Amino acid sequence: MRRLPPLTAVEAFVQVARLGSVKAAAEELALSSPALSRRVQAMERFIGRPLFARRHQAMLLNGDGEMLLSRIAPALDALGEAIEQVTGEAEIMRLKLGVLPLYASRQLIHRLPDLRAHYPHLHIDIDTGAHALARLGDGLDAAIVLAREIEPPLYGRRLGRNRIVAIGNRATQEGPNAFKVPADLARTTILLHRDMQDNFMLWRQAIGMPQLEPAAIDMFDSGQLILESAAEGLGVAFMLDFHLEGASDPRLVKLFAEEAEAESQYWFVCRRAALSRRPVRLFHDWLVGSVQG
């Protein structure tokens, strides 16, 4: 059998990686900070390289640490679940998740059968209400939000990297009045979400046309309605690439090859202490792996 590191060292590495702090991980494992640090160092010695970038009062995974966590954490959780099954201690786990409606419909719901297959005892209460960040720890265990960055002390993990694209009705690419180049947008209406009002500005700057002005700009507070309006030919939506990919609507198409980096990205967010709770931890690791995969 291949030699393995001590399980205590593995557990220490995973807890520090998830919580981002030796102190927080030590409290979770009922250890002193020096004792926990020794276990992490033992893991690094076994691997033969550092796994963290040390910062003042913080431990951030480096590239090797990220890769190791993605492989070890699911196995460690599976080991715990197997023991629970054998000892008859398995029970329903429940996660209260705040998530934006468009993300839920385009990226989450169709993936949940895979989550259920991996963790049949994990159930999710989905909350699409506003102000999810403010409700963490008070009604919500975790949230998927759209933000430029996540301020400490919250834990945040970016879910991929999204690009701004022009989305329109497929018919607008045909006929004498077809949209063939970005300059053609001067004769149509731009559709924007109120939470992503800068999308068109960022896109036109990225393509080198900062003076490009559309005929009009209509604002929405629903991503679903923006895409439906674009599909009906009411204008061109400037949304994220995954909104189009997840739409499964044959009426919609990416109008131009040009793209732009979005300032606001989707993040998984929770209180750092919440990562020690098994439902939060299992969902976090599954979601990150699913999105990256």
Side-chain angles (χ1 to χ4, degrees), residues 98-100 103 132-133 143-147 150 159 265-269:
V99 59
L100 296 170
Y103 191 94
L133 288 180
I144 297 173
V145 302
L146 188 67
I150 301 301
L159 302 173
Q265 302 285 332
Y266 283 96
W267 297 75
F268 172 92
V269 188

Side-chain angles (χ1 to χ4, degrees), residues 64-76:
D64 290 326
E66 288 275 6
M67 182 175 64
L68 184 62
L69 179 66
S70 69
R71 288 163 171 76
I72 284 183
L76 193 63

Side-chain angles (χ1 to χ4, degrees), residues 137-289:
D138 183 20
L140 294 179
D141 299 312
I144 297 173
V145 302
L146 188 67
R148 295 187 178 186
E149 60 182 359
I150 301 301
E151 297 289 341
L154 293 175
Y155 168 85
R157 178 67 178 260
R158 191 171 57 214
L159 302 173
R161 171 78 64 180
N162 299 129
R163 308 284 294 175
I164 301 169
V165 297
I167 303 172
N169 185 291
R170 187 177 299 275
T172 61
Q173 290 188 316
E174 305 167 354
N177 296 319
F179 295 134
K180 296 184 180 298
V181 295
D184 291 333
L185 295 173
R187 51 187 170 82
T188 193
T189 299
I190 298 302
L191 312 176
L192 295 175
H193 196 289
R194 286 192 175 87
D195 291 339
M196 295 182 283
Q197 296 186 31
D198 293 338
N199 274 5
F200 178 63
M201 179 192 69
L202 293 170
W203 185 84
R204 70 185 182 184
Q205 288 177 343
I207 68 171
M209 299 180 67
Q211 304 305 317
L212 177 61
E213 291 291 344
I217 295 178
D218 291 348
M219 292 287 182
F220 294 73
D221 60 7
S222 166
Q224 300 275 19
L225 290 180
I226 291 178
L227 293 175
E228 183 61 26
S229 297
E232 291 292 342
L234 297 180
V236 175
F238 279 82
M239 302 283 283
L240 303 183
D241 50 1
F242 95 81
H243 292 140
L244 176 61
E245 294 165 4
S248 300
D249 189 331
R251 297 173 296 171
L252 293 173
V253 67
K254 179 181 174 182
L255 293 180
F256 311 109
E258 289 83 356
E259 300 178 345
E261 184 78 12
E263 288 188 348
S264 294
Q265 302 285 332
Y266 283 96
W267 297 75
F268 172 92
V269 188
C270 66
R271 294 179 181 270
R272 289 191 175 275
L275 281 175
S276 64
R277 294 187 55 243
R278 195 154 183 261
V280 177
R281 188 170 67 246
L282 292 180
F283 180 78
H284 166 274
D285 293 348
W286 167 82
L287 179 64
V288 170

Side-chain angles (χ1 to χ4, degrees), residues 45-81:
R45 285 195 301 271
F46 184 91
I47 298 299
R49 66 195 69 177
L51 301 172
F52 294 94
R54 270 72 174 176
R55 300 286 187 269
H56 179 62
Q57 295 184 337
M59 296 271 283
L60 305 178
L61 284 173
N62 59 23
D64 290 326
E66 288 275 6
M67 182 175 64
L68 184 62
L69 179 66
S70 69
R71 288 163 171 76
I72 284 183
L76 193 63
D77 290 330
L79 176 62
E81 186 171 2

